[in-house]
Amino acid sequence: MAKFECCMCLTFLQEIHHCTQSEPQRDQLEHCLDMENFFVEKTHYTFSHLHSLQHRASALAYDTMSLPQVWWTDTKTWQTMLYRGEEVRFADLCNVFQEVEAKLVQVWEQDIRVGYDKMADDLVNKDVGYSFLSYLRNPQLTH
């Protein structure tokens, strides 16, 4: 509907230019004002009704939930799916979490090199944003 409405507007524009060429004594604005009722809203012409329907269709489209981005291709065991067109296996997702955890443990134990026995935590602190990483009694974690 939006494309058809745009096509109608372009047709009116072409007609205004055609009228200006056939009647050069009148300018484009005068020809536009002559046809104005045909391509504005809130009149009893086709364009106005189409424009009103376009508004309703847009409102419905924006209120409607979009299609899912995940499609299960294996509906018996639920082990494979399509995510944005790419096949994903559930076992692969588990591997991702395992690899991320292994990397975090490696960074924590080897790169940071902090002894667990020297860390302190304020377990009663309920402030928003509190973390033992920024706790003042853990100066070794400042980096």
Side-chain angles (χ1 to χ4, degrees), residues 35-128:
M35 290 186 248
E36 181 180 29
N37 286 335
F38 297 107
F39 62 87
V40 294
E41 295 182 64
K42 298 183 176 138
T43 60
H44 294 287
Y45 292 100
T46 307
F47 182 83
S48 178
H49 295 300
L50 183 67
H51 198 68
S52 168
L53 290 173
Q54 171 63 30
H55 283 301
R56 289 183 187 166
S58 294
L60 282 172
Y62 289 128
D63 287 341
T64 304
M65 190 168 63
S66 66
L67 290 173
Q69 295 182 2
V70 174
W71 292 91
W72 290 97
T73 54
D74 176 16
T75 56
K76 289 186 172 66
T77 61
W78 305 98
Q79 296 297 314
T80 58
M81 68 176 103
L82 289 177
Y83 177 72
R84 294 185 175 188
E86 296 290 328
E87 184 178 76
V88 178
R89 290 184 175 79
F90 191 68
D92 294 340
L93 292 175
C94 294
N95 291 340
V96 167
F97 289 114
Q98 289 172 353
E99 290 174 15
V100 167
E101 184 177 356
K103 181 67 175 168
L104 285 172
V105 168
Q106 176 206 345
V107 167
W108 185 254
E109 291 179 346
Q110 295 174 6
D111 297 342
I112 295 180
R113 297 181 189 171
V114 173
Y116 296 110
D117 58 336
K118 295 180 181 151
M119 283 193 292
D121 193 4
D122 186 0
L123 298 177
V124 295
N125 190 340
K126 294 185 175 150
D127 293 341
V128 176

Side-chain angles (χ1 to χ4, degrees), residues 120-122 125 130-139 141-142:
D121 193 4
D122 186 0
N125 190 340
Y130 168 77
S131 170
F132 75 96
L133 298 171
S134 58
Y135 189 44
L136 295 176
R137 290 181 49 203
N138 291 324
L141 298 177
T142 56

